[in-house]
Amino acid sequence: MVREFEYQGETFRVTAHGIHGHEEIFIVHIEDDGVEGGEISIDRMTEENDTTAPIEDILVMLCDKLIPQSEIKVQDPGAPFAWRQGNVVFEVHDGLQSHD
């Protein structure tokens, strides 16, 4: 999964793969000009974490570490986590092609 989300008024991109509770998760801060900023990751298979927690909770936990670590000045400290519709860079299809 590659998807964008917002937290505390900032935009982040998550890349995650694996099964629920055992994903490798990478997040990167997307700055106002679209440039990738600070990043952080967790391997839920080997690192200490609640493997029953929803991925959204893990993303918030990672952001709460990344924001001070990267000295990100958040736009809205009270803004909650929310998935967002990001720019589609690649569209993946199901492998079936229609024949006219």
Side-chain angles (χ1 to χ4, degrees):
M1 164 179 71
V2 177
R3 193 165 179 193
E4 289 186 358
F5 64 93
E6 294 178 355
Y7 180 64
Q8 294 191 10
E10 298 298 315
T11 301
F12 298 87
R13 182 180 310 116
V14 58
T15 303
H17 57 91
I19 60 172
H20 175 72
H22 299 283
E23 306 96 342
E24 279 189 286
I25 301 171
F26 303 87
I27 64 169
V28 62
H29 178 237
I30 307 298
E31 298 176 5
D32 289 337
D33 56 3
V35 173
E36 293 183 359
E39 58 184 62
I40 192 168
S41 64
I42 186 172
D43 182 342
R44 293 184 76 189
M45 292 179 277
T46 60
E47 295 181 48
E48 192 69 33
N49 72 96
D50 177 0
T51 57
T52 64
I55 195 167
E56 293 86 352
D57 291 353
I58 300 300
L59 296 176
V60 166
M61 183 229 10
L62 289 172
C63 285
D64 286 344
K65 290 180 180 180
L66 177 63
I67 289 168
Q69 174 184 315
S70 294
E71 299 178 351
I72 299 169
K73 304 225 183 319
V74 298
Q75 306 273 332
D76 182 358
F81 174 94
W83 290 112
R84 71 183 298 235
Q85 184 66 36
N87 295 330
V88 175
V89 178
F90 298 103
E91 289 192 33
V92 179
H93 59 83
D94 60 9
L96 301 176
Q97 298 177 357
S98 62
H99 298 281
D100 294 332

